[in-house]
Amino acid sequence: MDIGGAVAGAEGAGFDMMSWYMEIPVISRLYFTGAFLTTAACAVDMISPYNLYFNWDLIFSQGQVWRLVTTYLFFGMFSVDFMFHMYFLVRYCRLLEEGDFRGRTANFLLFLIFGITMMTLVAPFVSVNFLGSSLTFMMVYVWGRRNTDVRMSFLGVFTFNAPYLPWVMLTFSVLLGNPVTMDVIGIMVGHTYYFLEYIYPVIADIRGWDVKRIMNPPRLLHWICGTYQEPLHLHQD
């Protein structure tokens, strides 16, 4: 790949940031915007990260319920680490929304709600303050499981198939001495969703269970996403 030529071409053509931003699917764009604005607000001291982190006692004893949301929006102050987090967030959130969830916005919203709910229930039992990385890891895990034939390269050293990506990232974190609690949470919740969405319906159909699907979006989500359709009632004369 000619990186120099690609950069020169991009400069010649002119990179339109707004066009790139508007091409991001709506749910991914909203999440990216929320994360960026939250970090920007912290950077200019409009808000403090101490008012954003997950704290069970503050949420349920003092009514600071916004922490249930902000814990998924703050990825640290502007830095190289923040840029990497935004890259993974936009890339894999977008790949899922444009791939498996194309035309199924309500299902994608349910996917995020399921992940947020499960991680919020786990959070009081582990020492984590911000859960955005776990949600991103969940996206990476599910995307990898749904794209088993995609080949990837890690630092140009070795190649592997997409399902191994979260495990490669987890191993790299261990080698660097970084805490892996949030990574493990993301993998566990991602695997739970993958089983309920893709494995359980197959088992239920084979065994003839009455409940074929568990992860069906409720009507409210379809209504919010503008995909709700009134059921058809056939009348016989």
Side-chain angles (χ1 to χ4, degrees), residues 75-87 133 178:
F75 289 83
M77 304 302 287
F78 287 126
S79 62
V80 174
D81 184 62
F82 173 79
M83 296 302 295
F84 272 111
H85 277 105
M86 290 300 97
Y87 169 78
S133 295
N178 296 328

Side-chain angles (χ1 to χ4, degrees), residues 27 104-107 109 219-228:
I27 302 298
R104 302 195 303 142
T105 305
N107 294 78
L109 191 56
R219 293 183 180 180
L220 177 61
L221 283 185
H222 280 294
W223 180 80
I224 292 173
C225 298
T227 57
Y228 177 70

Side-chain angles (χ1 to χ4, degrees), residues 80-178:
V80 174
D81 184 62
F82 173 79
M83 296 302 295
F84 272 111
H85 277 105
M86 290 300 97
Y87 169 78
F88 276 97
L89 170 63
V90 174
R91 174 173 172 78
Y92 291 101
C93 196
R94 179 174 184 171
L95 284 173
L96 282 173
E97 193 170 358
E98 291 181 336
D100 266 28
F101 294 98
R102 178 181 293 272
R104 302 195 303 142
T105 305
N107 294 78
F108 187 58
L109 191 56
L110 179 63
F111 163 76
L112 294 177
I113 293 174
F114 175 84
I116 290 172
T117 301
M118 293 293 292
M119 292 172 191
T120 301
L121 293 175
V122 172
F125 302 99
V126 293
S127 300
V128 294
N129 294 322
F130 296 101
L131 292 162
S133 295
S134 295
L135 191 59
T136 303
F137 231 85
M138 174 187 175
M139 297 176 192
V140 172
Y141 180 88
V142 173
W143 177 82
R145 291 296 300 268
R146 295 296 293 168
N147 294 270
T148 56
D149 295 328
V150 175
R151 297 289 293 172
M152 310 193 75
S153 174
F154 182 72
L155 301 178
V157 177
F158 63 92
T159 59
F160 54 90
N161 287 356
Y164 295 102
L165 176 59
W167 303 105
V168 171
M169 294 170 61
L170 180 66
T171 302
F172 189 61
S173 294
V174 172
L175 294 176
L176 292 178
N178 296 328

Side-chain angles (χ1 to χ4, degrees), residues 163-224:
Y164 295 102
L165 176 59
W167 303 105
V168 171
M169 294 170 61
L170 180 66
T171 302
F172 189 61
S173 294
V174 172
L175 294 176
L176 292 178
N178 296 328
V180 296
T181 302
M182 290 186 292
D183 301 351
V184 173
I185 292 174
I187 290 176
M188 290 175 59
V189 176
H191 182 74
T192 303
Y193 176 86
Y194 181 82
F195 174 82
L196 294 176
E197 173 67 11
Y198 301 106
I199 305 299
Y200 172 83
V202 177
I203 297 175
D205 185 62
I206 293 174
R207 299 189 177 182
W209 293 343
D210 292 334
V211 180
K212 303 296 185 183
R213 293 188 61 84
I214 296 177
M215 303 303 293
N216 277 332
R219 293 183 180 180
L220 177 61
L221 283 185
H222 280 294
W223 180 80
I224 292 173

